[in-house]
Amino acid sequence: FSMSFAVMVIFTGIGSFIVLEKGLPKRIPANAIALSNVGVSGYEIPGCYGYSPDKITYGGLCRLGDTTKKPTFILWGDSHALALSDGFNKLAKDNGVSGILAVRAACAPLLGVTRPSKPKTFQCIEFNDRIKNLINDHKNIKDVFIAARWESGVEPEGYHFYLADAESGKPSKEESYKAYERGITRTVDAVSGMDRRLSFLMDNPEFDYDVPRELVKKAVLKHYLPALAGHSDIYSPYDRY
């Protein structure tokens, strides 16, 4: 009986500890916990991302970097530009400069180009024209960085992703690519004509799975079963990127 009582006390103590500690945090490696705490971008909010073109103002656009300084650059693009916003924010802060974020989902930063599937919904032409005019009106903006899911222009995944402009014929992959080329030329000419420095950014890699989740799984495997972790690399094929 005394042995049973002792075992019961031990397990009661263990159970109480688990309850008080809200689990067994030590069972998960610290680096895995850190990886699991990846949050959503601080810029993925309506005020930075979901505004209508006719409501865009210079002062209303979200700021990057040192907000006490006058903006000297703009990050312009679609949701893939938004994915770069936190990195740009840190880089700008580290260098003591300020910038502006101008992003709209599904709208590549190409002047005169829209999505023919729902042009009135996307309002890409109106958005990009508005940003172009803001750049032109504010001479303090010296550098223009544009980023987008460029693959959509080169290899559109169906009608929803086709691009078109005023010169386009019936929507097709071929017409989409032509509109893409004309849009690049149109944008380069417009920004260069304002005497600004223009930089095209390569697209960020795309994955078919949740990267933070896979990194956490690998960190746990490496901690407990390192032999298996060595065969679970996370990468994006170079030819796809």
Side-chain angles (χ1 to χ4, degrees):
F1 177 79
S2 59
M3 180 63 71
S4 298
F5 179 75
V7 171
M8 184 174 68
V9 169
I10 291 172
F11 277 97
T12 300
I14 293 173
S16 298
F17 174 79
I18 292 173
V19 171
L20 290 172
E21 293 294 318
K22 298 180 179 179
L24 291 172
K26 298 291 185 182
R27 78 189 189 281
I28 303 176
N31 62 331
I33 293 174
L35 289 166
S36 70
N37 289 329
V38 174
V40 176
S41 168
Y43 292 97
E44 197 168 342
I45 57 177
C48 294
Y49 185 50
Y51 34 56
S52 298
D54 59 346
K55 294 183 179 179
I56 294 174
T57 62
Y58 173 73
L61 291 170
C62 287
R63 297 281 295 277
L64 301 165
D66 186 348
T67 56
T68 66
K69 305 277 185 69
K70 183 174 283 190
T72 57
F73 73 87
I74 186 169
L75 174 59
W76 173 17
D78 60 12
S79 59
H80 283 226
L82 179 70
L84 301 175
S85 58
D86 289 287
F88 262 78
N89 182 50
K90 184 180 186 307
L91 188 61
K93 281 184 177 179
D94 291 346
N95 287 275
V97 297
S98 176
I100 292 173
L101 177 66
V103 292
R104 186 168 178 80
C107 288
L110 302 175
L111 295 173
V113 173
T114 190
R115 293 283 184 89
S117 57
K118 294 181 179 179
K120 292 183 179 179
T121 298
F122 292 116
Q123 294 185 290
C124 296
I125 292 177
E126 295 85 347
F127 171 75
N128 288 323
D129 282 346
R130 182 63 179 147
I131 300 306
K132 177 198 70 174
N133 292 335
L134 285 175
I135 295 170
N136 187 55
D137 293 342
H138 295 85
K139 307 303 180 186
N140 49 293
I141 299 176
K142 301 297 183 183
D143 288 284
V144 178
F145 298 97
I146 64 176
R149 189 172 187 264
W150 302 119
E151 185 181 13
S152 290
V154 179
E155 289 292 335
E157 301 169 355
Y159 176 67
H160 178 71
F161 293 93
Y162 286 163
L163 301 177
D165 61 11
E167 300 177 43
S168 296
K170 184 178 179 180
S172 67
K173 182 179 288 189
E174 293 72 24
E175 286 296 312
S176 180
Y177 185 72
K178 291 176 183 178
Y180 172 76
E181 285 190 313
R182 289 191 294 265
I184 290 178
T185 300
R186 204 178 288 122
T187 305
V188 170
D189 289 346
V191 176
S192 300
M194 301 177 202
D195 194 27
R196 306 296 204 276
R197 289 184 293 266
L198 175 63
S199 300
F200 282 81
L201 305 180
M202 287 185 68
D203 192 7
N204 32 304
E206 291 189 60
F207 295 85
D208 297 325
Y209 46 82
D210 186 322
V211 174
R213 180 184 177 89
E214 293 301 314
L215 288 172
V216 169
K217 287 165 60 178
K218 183 170 182 178
V220 173
L221 272 176
K222 190 173 182 180
H223 184 77
Y224 290 107
L225 299 168
L228 292 179
H231 301 285
S232 59
D233 291 334
I234 294 174
Y235 68 96
S236 181
Y238 181 78
D239 57 349
R240 176 179 177 181
Y241 180 49

